[in-house]
Amino acid sequence: METTTQLRLAIIVGSTRKDRFGPIPAAWFAQRARSYDGMSVDVIDLAELELPNSLDGSVDAERLADRLAMADAFVIVTPEYNHSYPASLKTAIDHYRHEWQAKPVAFVSYGGMGGGLRAVEHLRQVFAELHAATVRDTISFHNFWERFDDNGEPTDAASCGSAAKGMLDQLAWWGHALREARAKRPYAA
């Protein structure tokens, strides 16, 4: 049962391509977040939504707005496509403004040799413009096709588990601090 002290975390799967890898690290991270004390998890898969590229409203856009507004913190799961993040993720981000403000954002990225880190660096700039606070630690899977077993678990479970805990610790701290600050003094940009 959710309590008022429980942090509401939204995990967003950013790729919508056919045969995408994103749901695998998203499911792995969601499992870690669900076992983290005091955190509830909402996994948002952009492939299951129809968001208009024109940024006009839609039923899915309104539903997503509600889910984002309820979140205290976010984790973006993103691949790196051509040294950046997918268009589907940019569309989802740009549909909203107030829903992101004064909330922490963390990243789980994957790609080739770069592990998706160039996508993350681009996203940090976008979220800064939206008045969100990105946390320092990122979980990055370099050459991702080698990093998970057939059960969707990282092949280096101990290191990945430690990285997940560290990132969740940061999200929890920032999530609680910013939620308390927004309650005492609403954020207006």
Side-chain angles (χ1 to χ4, degrees):
M1 176 172 229
E2 188 169 301
T3 65
T4 57
T5 61
Q6 194 163 35
L7 195 70
R8 296 174 305 249
L9 175 66
I11 298 174
I12 301 170
V13 183
S15 176
T16 59
R17 287 186 180 180
K18 182 181 176 187
D19 299 324
R20 66 209 166 108
F21 180 72
I24 293 171
W28 167 78
F29 190 81
Q31 182 182 22
R32 297 304 168 286
R34 286 184 180 108
S35 65
Y36 192 87
D37 188 38
M39 197 167 290
S40 67
V41 177
D42 178 16
V43 177
I44 300 169
D45 189 341
L46 296 181
E48 297 172 358
L49 303 172
E50 291 187 30
L51 299 176
N53 290 331
S54 63
L55 303 184
D56 291 335
S58 71
V59 171
D60 279 348
E62 289 175 23
R63 288 182 185 147
L64 182 54
D66 292 339
R67 291 169 78 180
L68 297 177
M70 288 177 39
D72 297 307
F74 304 100
V75 170
I76 307 296
V77 180
T78 186
E80 182 177 312
Y81 296 154
N82 299 318
H83 286 217
S84 196
Y85 55 94
S88 54
L89 185 54
K90 180 68 167 146
T91 297
I93 292 167
D94 287 352
H95 263 276
Y96 310 99
R97 180 184 166 131
H98 300 289
E99 291 82 358
W100 304 113
Q101 289 181 347
K103 296 179 183 179
V105 181
F107 305 96
V108 174
S109 67
Y110 58 94
M113 291 299 292
L117 292 175
R118 291 174 287 224
V120 169
E121 291 309 310
H122 290 177
L123 285 164
R124 288 184 189 282
Q125 295 174 53
V126 171
F127 280 107
E129 179 64 21
L130 293 169
H131 297 257
T134 61
V135 301
R136 181 196 174 278
D137 288 1
T138 296
I139 299 172
S140 175
F141 294 102
H142 303 260
N143 298 326
F144 67 87
W145 54 89
E146 300 173 352
R147 303 293 177 224
F148 283 80
D149 64 22
D150 293 338
N151 297 317
E153 290 295 318
T155 55
D156 185 4
S159 177
C160 291
S162 177
K165 183 184 179 316
M167 195 166 83
L168 286 163
D169 286 345
Q170 289 179 12
L171 272 174
W173 191 93
W174 281 103
H176 287 291
L178 291 173
R179 181 172 66 187
E180 290 171 18
R182 288 190 314 273
K184 289 179 183 173
R185 186 175 174 185
Y187 189 85

